[in-house]
Amino acid sequence: MATSLITDNGLNAAVSKWLNVGSTTNMTHLAVGSGTTTPAVTDTAMQTEIVRVAPDTKSASDNVITLEHYYGTTEGNGTIAEVGVLSQASGGVLHMHGQPAAAVTKTTNKTMRVTVTITLDNKT
């Protein structure tokens, strides 16, 4: 990812989950879109979402969260310029918003695997 970040709402959801207070949300869906605006911590939605899916795999090990989805020929077609991790099949909390280093054009004669890795690091 050229630019990727955890949104303010994503951080608030993590804090609520850790303390078991307030309204907590989990990272349940991975989305791709064609939006080209640089992600910001204040984002509450992707700019131009193409498709949102439950990832094929989700894992957590040590301080790393990984979500991955294989997009077949009929899924996620268009110019992929942004990626998001969200809490619901529609609407919900945008936990992470990112952009690849370069946009990728996905068509019906191509498949694609998207892997999002979130590393929690307290080193400055």
Side-chain angles (χ1 to χ4, degrees):
M1 292 278 154
T3 302
S4 60
L5 49 83
I6 301 297
T7 65
D8 288 341
N9 286 341
L11 288 174
N12 289 333
V15 169
S16 293
K17 189 78 167 176
W18 289 342
L19 296 177
N20 197 26
V21 297
S23 176
T24 62
T25 62
N26 295 324
M27 295 183 203
T28 61
H29 286 77
L30 180 62
V32 294
S34 60
T36 57
T37 301
T38 301
V41 295
T42 54
D43 290 347
T44 58
M46 293 178 55
Q47 183 184 5
T48 312
E49 192 173 315
I50 294 173
V51 66
R52 186 183 308 194
V53 296
D56 297 325
T57 61
K58 296 188 294 184
S59 65
S61 178
D62 297 323
N63 61 336
V64 179
I65 299 165
T66 304
L67 300 98
E68 187 171 63
H69 187 73
Y70 171 82
Y71 293 83
T73 56
T74 61
E75 199 173 39
N77 293 318
T79 300
I80 308 302
E82 63 178 330
V83 176
V85 177
L86 300 106
S87 67
Q88 295 179 16
S90 64
V93 173
L94 177 64
H95 288 263
M96 189 283 308
H97 194 194
Q99 286 180 316
V104 175
T105 301
K106 164 94 170 51
T107 62
T108 56
N109 63 351
K110 295 180 182 178
T111 61
M112 172 177 70
R113 180 170 306 281
V114 172
T115 303
V116 173
T117 303
I118 301 169
T119 303
L120 303 176
D121 187 353
N122 62 0
K123 298 173 189 157
T124 55

